[in-house]
Amino acid sequence: MRAVPLRGGPVELRGALDLEDTPAGVLPRRLPEWTKEQYQDPSVHGVTLMPSGVRLVFRTDARELEFEVLTSTGQLDTDPGPQPTGMLELLVDGAPAGRRQAPVGNVVRMAGPGAEQRMIPGEPGTVRFSGLPDGMKTVELWLPQQTPTELVALRADGEVLAPLPDGRRRWVHHGSSISHCVEADGPTGTWPVVAAALGGVEVINLSQAGNALLDPYVARTIRDLPADLISLKVGINIVSLAAFRLRTFGPAVHGFLDTIREGHPDTPLLVISPVSCPALEETPGPTAIAPDGKLAALGDPADVADGALSLAVVRAELSRIVAARRAHDPRLHYLDGRELLGPDETDDLADGLHPGAAAYRRMGDRFAAHAFADDGPFG
């Protein structure tokens, strides 16, 4: 086994827009370094380090590979152990070739949500993939979508070369936790990755659990990225956090789209409204977790008449905005999120908000059937 450099060598790191040097190795981030100074909420930094859609790509004739990583996972003081670290998944020439549980490394302990955190340092762990096919092949190692993962070392028992250009279109997607897909059964089970595989495109997933609040720095990031296709899933956290009212929501959507169009004036751009979420369909946020563990809306439905946002209002407003802009922007499209997960499927929302693993795969299938059809927005 010989070491392969993770920087400045043949390995491409796709899906990450920045690499932070750490004492252990390198830590992928899904937003550019310059965005750090534009947010204060630590949750933004945390979810940006969760490598949903991030993968190492290279060619090799090796039969055996070793990946050394240092994960950082959370643990409430009331939990019996650390939260699951997720899976490392290997694809060879696009086909599944093995999956391994990511080893537990650093553990972030806390008394409860929002409490002060205590880092318990851990050690890197190694995962091994053996019995790979003979000959030169393209290998992708997908990192766990829910766990910050420092890349410490890559070792191979054969030659490692840079990947060849594959000619696929690049799809940039931004959304909330329902696109970040922490609950998926692995990094290739997130609905954007499922859809990208079916559509024959390469996906860059800029989704951020607990966020996606029309942040201007995200719009500028998308504006400046190479992209052949763009999609935005907008609304769930805007309602659940009561982050906007109707007066401010519409202009913010227009501003976000205007910024993206500065860099991509003719790129197909699909705006997706929220999937079904019973608590927030007609009732505005903010939200809390009820004793039964499900999402509960704390707003007053009567306040909708004065400009509070429910999911029904958000969907109507997004549809109206896209329809109005299409008069001068015919490559702008709208998809009602309930086409991906509808009101008759809310049993798939264990906490009343987030789909489970099977539902995420179903969403990916449905998105691909819509978006990548010959007459679809990405056709």
Side-chain angles (χ1 to χ4, degrees), residues 194-216:
V194 171
L198 292 170
V201 301
E202 180 182 15
V203 65
I204 306 296
N205 190 358
L206 302 183
S207 301
Q208 296 186 308
N211 291 278
L213 299 172
L214 299 174
D215 298 296

Side-chain angles (χ1 to χ4, degrees), residues 97-279:
R99 47 193 276 137
R100 305 283 187 273
Q101 184 76 39
V104 174
N106 301 321
V107 177
V108 181
R109 296 290 297 270
M110 63 198 86
E116 184 177 353
Q117 299 179 349
R118 311 185 309 280
M119 171 70 80
I120 301 174
E123 296 295 328
T126 299
V127 295
R128 182 176 293 104
F129 294 92
S130 303
L132 303 184
D134 287 326
M136 193 62 66
K137 50 204 167 278
T138 297
V139 168
E140 302 172 52
L141 176 73
W142 291 73
L143 304 182
Q145 75 274 13
Q146 72 269 54
T147 306
T149 302
E150 297 174 58
L151 309 177
V152 179
L154 165 63
R155 293 180 285 271
D157 67 350
E159 188 176 15
V160 174
L161 304 175
L164 297 173
D166 59 18
R168 293 181 297 171
R169 295 179 294 171
R170 173 185 268 202
W171 167 31
V172 175
H173 177 70
H174 174 58
S176 67
S177 58
I178 300 172
S179 296
H180 188 144
C181 304
V182 166
E183 300 78 13
D185 56 11
T188 64
T190 69
W191 78 255
V193 173
V194 171
L198 292 170
V201 301
E202 180 182 15
V203 65
I204 306 296
N205 190 358
L206 302 183
S207 301
Q208 296 186 308
N211 291 278
L213 299 172
L214 299 174
D215 298 296
Y217 54 83
V218 175
R220 291 193 290 274
T221 295
I222 297 172
R223 176 195 65 190
D224 297 339
L225 278 176
D228 301 296
L229 311 164
I230 300 170
S231 58
L232 311 170
K233 196 167 180 302
V234 179
I236 186 64
N237 288 331
I238 286 169
V239 176
S240 67
L241 297 174
F244 289 91
R245 294 181 73 85
L246 185 60
R247 163 64 181 82
T248 53
F249 176 63
V253 172
H254 279 292
F256 202 90
L257 294 173
D258 286 345
T259 298
I260 292 173
R261 281 303 192 215
E262 289 173 3
H264 301 283
D266 301 313
T267 301
L269 199 168
L270 176 59
V271 176
I272 311 164
S273 66
V275 303
S276 293
C277 176

